[in-house]
């Protein structure tokens, strides 16, 4: 460790102002602070000092994502062995998933961090840690068989148009990871919807005819729309493998299937207070109540689906825990967090049920509410001011 | 094109005073017609024709128009010209005219034209007015063609209807490529405009707001 410190210290003058490679200053700075805790502190003014900084916050989120990531890797292999009728042990399944997943992660980080570094050089500011989490979220919300170049294009779009245009980390209006997914969803809809893309290797296997009979690869979210398309009017929802949905042994985007793994992450986030409990709870409540409302209406079989199914399926849990709670794009005020979360949940379920063409209502709901956050916060703050003015009886 | 002043009048709308990316006018039609290069080009020509002729006519009439009804007079002139242009398009490029649909008619309400009439033609002689109208029209057209170029190339893989991206690249033919469907949608036109404005302002620092 000491040798590394000496080496970094020796390199420092080269990158400092006046040095040979001073234009790469922020790149050097990024690596130095990545390796060692910075020894600079704020010099003047009053500041609240805390052990946590942006880097620690990001690391906590990465840690919270680990259960979903590890389970997602296992599920890639598990679904693949189901589809092709292979006998594999747990570890072999996981290893298969790891190998399939790794390129996605590398592409996401490579492209995203590359752009962040370039912008930091051009704008002469430090490289932000903001992309650490986005870079992990992007592969987790992709289907496993999505072409890598699309991930690269979408990541570049999300980082440049979603973040750097607004001034970089902390300035963005929309969640960059969701923006990447929305980009692929609208630009290359074939790559991110349908029944074959959620299971690794299913598209290729269907062409060669090696798929096990009866394996469809459809996500549970498409059960009701497909049946409705065939004109079926009755369905026994109680016979569904709800436990599998909860554990996550279903096809879907990599990180979103397992509610258990996501809840583990949620506990870490709530315990360390990195993410807002209010937003998570309000989102689940909103989704559940909206589901109940549809149960009351009950106009078709999708509306009759038990309300809590919505919370288990698709990206709902993942979005509620990791996406809606993004401290930059989420609501900042306490009351606003309840409103923001509640409407996300309600909108997500409404989009799913009312427009089966957009099964991933969660993504659209969060992006829409991201845009509404300034409005919500403005009125919450205005309401607080009004209430206080009344209380203090200022003429 | 005599004199430095006239040259400035003609050239300013190309970059420093571009109606679309500096004054942010005429965005509506620009979003609607730029999904393909050909309609964008035809639209650009139509607007150039209308701005130039409208500026010329209004400049000739500028001393006889009563100020209180000037907007109505301007509208009548522009509307007459637009109908002429529409008829010409229908006669010679019927397909494109179909694609442009209402947007040719909507040239009447194009802010660039009204803006140039109000700001320039009402107070200047015919020749500078013609130059101003021509310049503004070309400035608008340039941006339209740039946006149309990128949207058609990336969104449809074609340019002016000709296939540019090799067919063998497409996923359907065993390749890897797919057209970017978002490019066809109007939101992406807005983003492409944004990128052009971004690049333009980074190159012309004096345009940046503080």
């Amino acid at each position: 460790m000491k040798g590394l410190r000496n080496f970094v210290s020796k390199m420092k003058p080269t990158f400092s102002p006046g040095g040979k490679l001073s234009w790469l200053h922020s790149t050097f700075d990024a690596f130095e602070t990545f390796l060692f805790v910075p020894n600079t502190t704020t010099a003047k003014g009053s500041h609240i000092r805390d052990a946590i900084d942006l880097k620690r916050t990001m690391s906590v989120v990465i840690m919270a994502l680990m259960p979903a990531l590890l389970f997602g890797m296992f599920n890639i292999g598990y679904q693949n062995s189901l589809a092709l009728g292979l006998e594999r042990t747990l570890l072999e399944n996981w290893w298969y998933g790891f190998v399939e997943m790794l390129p996605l992660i590398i592409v996401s980080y490579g492209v995203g961090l590359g752009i962040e570094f370039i912008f930091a050089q051009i704008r002469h500011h430090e490289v932000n840690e903001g992309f650490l989490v986005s870079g992990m979220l992007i592969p987790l919300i992709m289907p496993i068989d999505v072409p890598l170049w699309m991930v690269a294009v979408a990541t570049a779009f999300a980082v440049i148009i979603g973040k750097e245009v607004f001034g970089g980390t902390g300035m963005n209006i929309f969640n960059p990871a969701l923006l990447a997914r929305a980009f692929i969803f609208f630009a290359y809809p074939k790559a991110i919807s349908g029944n074959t893309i959620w299971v690794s290797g299913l598209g290729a296997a269907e062409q060669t005819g090696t798929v096990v009979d009866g394996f469809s690869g459809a996500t549970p979210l498409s059960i009701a729309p497909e049946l409705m398309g065939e004109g079926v009017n009755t369905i026994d929802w109680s016979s569904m493998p709800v436990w599998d949905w909860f554990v996550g042994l279903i096809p879907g985007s990599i990180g979103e299937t397992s509610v258990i793994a996501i809840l583990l992450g949620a506990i870490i986030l709530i315990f360390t207070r990195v993410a807002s409990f209010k937003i998570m709870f309000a989102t689940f409540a909103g989704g559940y109540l909206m589901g109940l409302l549809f149960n009351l209406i009950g106009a078709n079989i999708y509306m009759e689906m038990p309300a809590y199914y919505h919370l288990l399926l698709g990206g709902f849990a993942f979005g509620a825990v990791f996406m809606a709670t993004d401290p930059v794009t989420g609501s900042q005020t306490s009351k606003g967090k309840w409103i923001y979360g509640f409407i996300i949940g309600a909108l997500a379920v409404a989009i799913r049920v009312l427009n089966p063409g957009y099964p991933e209502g969660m993504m659209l709901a969060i992006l829409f509410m991201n845009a509404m956050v300034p409005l919500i916060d403005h009125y919450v703050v205005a309401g607080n001011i009004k209430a206080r003015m009344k209380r203090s009886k200022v003429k | 094109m005599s004199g430095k002043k006239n040259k400035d009048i003609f050239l300013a709308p190309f970059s420093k005073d571009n109606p679309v990316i500096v004054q942010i006018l005429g965005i509506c039609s620009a979003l609607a017609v730029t999904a393909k290069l050909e309609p964008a080009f035809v639209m650009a020509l139509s607007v150039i024709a209308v701005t130039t002729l409208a500026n010329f006519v209004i400049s000739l009439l500028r001393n006889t128009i009563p100020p209180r009804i000037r907007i109505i007079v301007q509208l009548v002139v522009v509307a007459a010209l637009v109908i002429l242009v529409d008829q010409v398009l229908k006669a010679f490029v019927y397909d494109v005219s179909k694609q442009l649909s209402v947007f040719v008619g909507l040239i009447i309400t194009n802010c660039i034209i009204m803006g140039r009439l109000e700001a320039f033609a009402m107070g200047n002689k015919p020749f500078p007015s013609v130059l101003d109208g021509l310049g503004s029209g070309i400035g608008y057209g340039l941006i339209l063609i740039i946006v149309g170029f990128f949207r058609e190339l990336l969104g449809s893989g074609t340019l002016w209807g000709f296939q540019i991206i090799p067919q063998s690249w497409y996923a359907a033919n065993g390749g890897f490529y797919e057209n970017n469907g978002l490019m066809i949608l109007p939101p992406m036109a807005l983003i492409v405009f944004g990128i052009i404005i971004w690049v333009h302002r980074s190159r012309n620092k004096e345009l940046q707001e503080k």
Side-chain angles (χ1 to χ4, degrees):
Chain A
M1 212 59 198
K2 194 142 191 227
L4 191 64
R5 176 70 256 184
N6 288 338
F7 175 71
V8 171
S9 300
K10 216 172 89 187
M11 297 294 286
K12 199 163 189 171
T14 327
F15 292 97
S16 300
K20 223 187 272 173
L21 294 170
S22 62
W23 57 279
L24 278 174
H25 174 70
S26 58
T27 307
F28 174 78
D29 188 58
F31 282 110
E32 192 194 3
T33 50
F34 177 77
L35 292 168
F36 299 101
V37 176
N39 57 1
T40 49
T41 49
T42 319
K44 54 184 176 179
S46 58
H47 293 272
I48 300 167
R49 296 192 194 277
D50 194 350
I52 203 150
D53 62 358
L54 190 58
K55 221 165 258 185
R56 303 291 156 261
T57 316
M58 296 296 172
S59 324
V60 170
V61 182
I62 294 282
M63 259 157 58
L65 279 168
M66 279 304 129
L69 176 70
L70 295 178
F71 184 87
M73 287 173 172
F74 161 73
N75 195 38
I76 295 167
Y78 178 74
Q79 294 297 333
N80 175 261
S81 58
L82 272 191
L84 303 178
L86 304 173
E87 291 287 331
R88 283 210 201 108
T89 63
L90 191 147
L91 207 63
E92 280 170 346
N93 273 334
W94 186 84
W95 179 250
Y96 176 86
F98 176 77
V99 173
E100 288 286 298
M101 171 98 188
L102 203 58
L104 274 178
I105 300 179
I106 293 172
V107 166
S108 157
Y109 272 122
V111 173
L113 287 178
I115 293 171
E116 287 250 343
F117 272 96
I118 292 169
F119 270 91
Q121 302 310 331
I122 295 174
R123 291 182 170 165
H124 305 291
H125 54 55
E126 289 170 26
V127 177
N128 280 313
E129 295 87 350
F131 193 74
L132 281 183
V133 170
S134 303
M136 185 55 87
L137 286 172
I138 288 172
L140 282 175
I141 53 176
M142 294 292 169
I144 180 65
D145 268 2
V146 66
L148 289 177
W149 69 270
M150 287 182 191
V151 179
V153 173
T155 308
F157 177 83
V159 175
I160 296 175
I161 304 296
K163 210 159 105 177
E164 294 301 340
V165 161
F166 296 106
T169 307
M171 305 289 190
N172 44 317
I173 299 173
F174 298 107
N175 186 320
L178 272 183
L179 214 56
R181 194 180 200 277
F183 181 84
I184 297 191
F185 186 80
F186 286 107
Y188 310 108
K190 265 186 262 165
I192 203 162
S193 51
N195 286 345
T196 55
I197 46 121
W198 306 106
V199 177
S200 166
L202 187 61
E206 268 183 357
Q207 277 171 5
T208 53
T210 49
V211 185
V212 173
D213 285 346
F215 188 90
S216 78
T219 66
L221 266 182
S222 60
I223 294 175
E226 271 181 16
L227 285 176
M228 276 152 61
E230 292 161 14
V232 180
N233 289 323
T234 51
I235 183 172
D236 181 14
W237 281 115
S238 59
S239 69
M240 292 294 158
V242 182
W243 180 249
D244 278 0
W245 296 357
F246 186 60
V247 177
L249 296 172
I250 48 172
S253 298
I254 296 159
E256 71 176 22
T257 59
S258 170
V259 180
I260 288 184
I262 293 164
L263 287 183
L264 272 177
I267 290 169
I268 297 176
L269 288 181
I270 292 172
F271 183 72
T272 55
R273 298 199 181 178
V274 165
S276 160
F277 166 75
K278 290 168 191 159
I279 294 179
M280 282 185 213
F281 186 79
T283 308
F284 280 111
Y288 186 67
L289 289 179
M290 197 66 185
L292 286 183
L293 184 71
F294 279 124
N295 285 351
L296 277 181
I297 302 172
N300 58 37
I301 57 171
Y302 209 161
M303 290 194 185
E304 286 164 9
M305 186 163 99
Y308 72 94
Y309 283 13
H310 279 295
L311 312 187
L312 303 180
L313 293 181
F316 195 98
F318 194 85
V321 171
F322 294 109
M323 299 291 193
T325 56
D326 177 354
V328 177
T329 58
S331 185
Q332 309 288 327
T333 52
S334 184
K335 216 181 281 172
K337 284 177 181 168
W338 290 105
I339 302 170
Y340 164 78
F342 188 86
I343 302 182
I344 287 180
L347 266 183
V349 172
I351 295 172
R352 278 180 186 178
V353 174
L354 299 179
N355 186 354
Y358 289 160
E360 211 30 279
M362 197 61 186
M363 168 183 88
L364 301 170
I366 296 176
L367 285 176
F368 181 72
M369 287 313 289
N370 279 169
M372 293 294 143
V373 158
L375 191 69
I376 297 172
D377 280 348
H378 171 80
Y379 279 105
V380 169
V381 171
N384 283 346
I385 292 172
K386 216 172 152 193
R388 287 183 180 210
M389 290 296 263
K390 225 184 218 169
R391 205 164 48 200
S392 64
K393 297 197 180 71
V394 177
K395 295 262 157 60
Chain B
M1 199 68 75
S2 61
K4 190 173 174 299
K5 199 165 159 257
N6 282 351
K7 203 176 158 195
D8 277 353
I9 292 169
F10 180 64
L11 290 179
F14 286 19
S15 166
K16 296 280 160 68
D17 200 18
N18 190 291
V20 185
I21 60 174
V22 177
Q23 302 172 15
I24 320 289
L25 294 176
I27 293 288
C28 169
S29 59
L31 296 187
V33 301
T34 50
K36 292 262 161 65
L37 193 54
E38 196 183 0
F41 185 74
V42 173
M43 183 72 179
L45 284 186
S46 311
V47 172
I48 291 170
V50 176
T51 44
T52 313
L53 292 174
N55 259 13
F56 179 64
V57 174
I58 292 294
S59 178
L60 286 176
L61 294 174
R62 72 186 188 281
N63 293 326
T64 51
I65 300 173
R68 289 173 68 185
I69 59 161
R70 67 185 192 283
I71 301 280
I72 299 171
V73 175
Q74 288 164 9
L75 269 180
V76 169
V77 171
V78 176
L81 288 169
V82 166
I83 289 170
L84 282 179
V85 166
D86 194 24
Q87 294 301 319
V88 170
L89 291 187
K90 276 188 181 139
F92 293 101
V93 280
Y94 187 69
D95 292 344
V96 181
S97 165
K98 275 273 167 210
Q99 284 181 48
L100 289 172
S101 66
V102 296
F103 290 100
V104 177
L106 284 178
I107 295 177
I108 298 170
T109 57
N110 193 316
C111 315
I112 297 171
I113 295 168
M114 295 304 287
R116 288 337 291 170
L117 294 180
E118 271 291 291
F120 201 90
M122 286 299 285
N124 285 284
K125 288 185 174 154
F127 182 64
S129 295
V130 167
L131 285 182
D132 178 73
L134 199 62
S136 296
I138 295 175
Y140 170 85
L142 275 179
I143 303 299
L144 239 65
I145 288 166
I146 295 173
V147 177
F149 175 85
F150 284 109
R151 284 184 75 192
E152 185 172 357
L153 182 64
L154 299 174
S156 313
T158 57
L159 278 181
W160 206 277
F162 295 107
Q163 190 71 35
I164 298 293
I165 312 275
Q167 287 288 356
S168 59
W169 282 19
Y170 284 97
N173 303 327
F176 65 96
Y177 187 77
E178 239 180 273
N179 286 326
N180 188 327
L182 198 56
M183 276 287 174
I184 305 289
L185 304 173
M188 203 60 190
L190 201 61
I191 291 172
V192 174
F193 272 113
I195 294 172
I196 293 175
I197 292 173
W198 184 12
V199 172
H200 186 248
R201 296 211 171 178
S202 343
R203 293 174 65 101
N204 298 280
K205 297 244 187 283
E206 72 274 16
L207 291 174
Q208 292 173 4
E209 289 96 353
K210 283 287 169 300

